[in-house]
Structures are given as C-alpha cells and as structure tokens.
Amino acid sequence: MKTGCVILAAGAGRRMGGKNKAMLLWQGQTFLQRIADCLRTLGDVECVVVVAEPHASETEREANRLGVSCIRNPSPERGMGSSVALGFSYASKHFAADACWLWPVDAPGVDVATLKNVRDLAGVGKILTPRFGERGGHPTLVGREVWRELEACESESAGARSVFRRDPSRRHFVEVDDPTVRHDIDEPTDLEALS
C-alpha cells in the first residue's frame, strides 16, 4: 500500500514557552526530521508539512533540508481543523497514495514497527488509529475515501475527531506495544518524560 502523510506543525508552541516544536531535539534529531526518517523507512511516502507563523520560515527551511513539501496555514487561529483541512486538500491534489497518515509534529517518538503494524491492517478499516492501553494515539492512517471529509473538517465542532467518530464501523483501533503513540509534547515536562 502506498501511503502519504500530513504533518501538522502550525502551532505557536505557547505551552512550550513559544518554542517551535518542529525544531525541538530528541535523540539528536529535530522532531520533524525524526518523523520524516520514520516515514522514509516505510518506503516512498509522499509528505507535506502544514506550517504557520510565527515559526513558518524556520520550519520551511528544515522541511526543505529534509526534502519535504510545505504549505502555509494563513489563519492558524481558526484551530487545528484548519490545518488538517489544508493538508488533506493538498494531499487530494498531489498524492497518489491510497491512505495518508495524520501526524502532529509534537508526537515524534512513534516506533517504525508501530507504523508497519498499523499499515499492514489497512484493509480492516478506513480509519486506523494505534492504541496503547485504553487510549488511542498518533498517527492515524486515513483511507483516501475519507480525505474529502477531512478537507471540510474545519467546520466540524471537533475538527478531524468529528470525522473519525462519525461512523464507528469504519474506524479500527490497532493495539500496539508502543506507549509513545500517546506522547504529545506540549510542555517542557513532556519533553523530559520522552527522554
């Protein structure tokens, strides 16, 4: 199966003291590089990063260094749904993939084996979310037939989550032995815990 990825990196990092989370370091790599390297391990994965001010230029430079496409969200104050919508609109026009990962840049620790486990179950559901314990995590793999709904998710009350919850029959949780699927790095203490 050919996959793509929409990486969400349009946040201002307020809870991280205004730092650009895409450029935070973990195990000697920026978060964005860590995610890009994981995707490359899967094979030929088309990828786009959604960025916004105040960190857009810095993240674009890193994306260019990594050979990853970038698009800007001109109004990130509209919420994460606006970035998801922009990313999947881009994917619909430019990706030949059958499914696309939705991956927040502040979840860099996911193991490659976890991605492979999720991808290998792509026939089970149109929306596949890794789950560790009782909670789902990141990244979610979304079949192409759902992309159009994500392009319109900005108007949904809970953005992409509204789309994911709309029809439980098409969503499947993949049990994984990888607690990092639940690690969102929002605050400095979260980064310390990941280390």
Side-chain angles (χ1 to χ4, degrees):
M1 162 178 278
K2 185 172 178 58
T3 61
C5 186
V6 171
I7 301 173
L8 303 177
R14 289 183 188 89
R15 286 183 286 173
M16 191 61 75
K19 292 181 179 176
N20 181 359
K21 290 197 278 188
M23 297 300 293
L24 291 176
L25 294 177
W26 183 58
Q27 296 184 346
Q29 295 181 304
T30 65
F31 281 15
L32 185 56
Q33 181 179 357
R34 172 72 170 80
I35 292 170
D37 284 355
C38 282
L39 292 167
R40 287 192 182 98
T41 302
L42 291 180
D44 182 22
V45 179
E46 300 165 297
C47 190
V48 65
V49 184
V50 184
V51 302
E53 297 299 347
H55 305 302
S57 295
E58 183 182 31
T59 306
E60 284 172 341
R61 285 192 296 273
E62 177 70 349
N64 289 337
R65 183 181 77 83
L66 298 169
V68 175
S69 298
C70 255
I71 55 173
R72 287 197 182 206
N73 183 345
S75 304
E77 67 278 1
R78 295 175 301 172
M80 189 182 295
S82 65
S83 292
V84 174
L86 284 169
F88 276 87
S89 177
Y90 180 95
S92 293
K93 295 181 179 88
H94 300 281
F95 290 1
D98 305 299
C100 191
W101 302 96
L102 177 58
W103 198 331
V105 79
D106 61 2
V110 180
D111 193 81
V112 173
T114 297
L115 301 178
K116 291 178 179 176
N117 289 341
V118 173
R119 184 191 60 188
D120 290 348
L121 289 172
V124 173
K126 296 177 176 64
I127 302 167
L128 299 177
T129 300
R131 180 166 61 190
F132 179 81
E134 297 299 315
R135 285 178 47 205
H138 303 294
T140 289
L141 184 62
V142 185
R144 194 173 191 108
E145 54 269 56
V146 183
W147 294 6
R148 188 172 296 277
E149 292 175 61
L150 289 173
E151 289 180 54
C153 78
E154 182 182 350
S155 62
E156 300 280 355
S157 60
R161 287 189 181 93
S162 293
V163 174
F164 293 165
R165 295 169 181 160
R166 182 171 295 144
D167 180 359
S169 69
R170 64 185 183 176
R171 189 177 193 189
H172 181 75
F173 288 93
V174 180
E175 302 297 336
V176 298
D177 186 21
D178 182 1
T180 63
V181 301
R182 287 171 35 183
H183 291 174
D184 291 333
I185 311 303
D186 293 320
E187 300 175 359
T189 53
D190 298 328
L191 185 57
E192 292 167 13
L194 183 65
S195 301

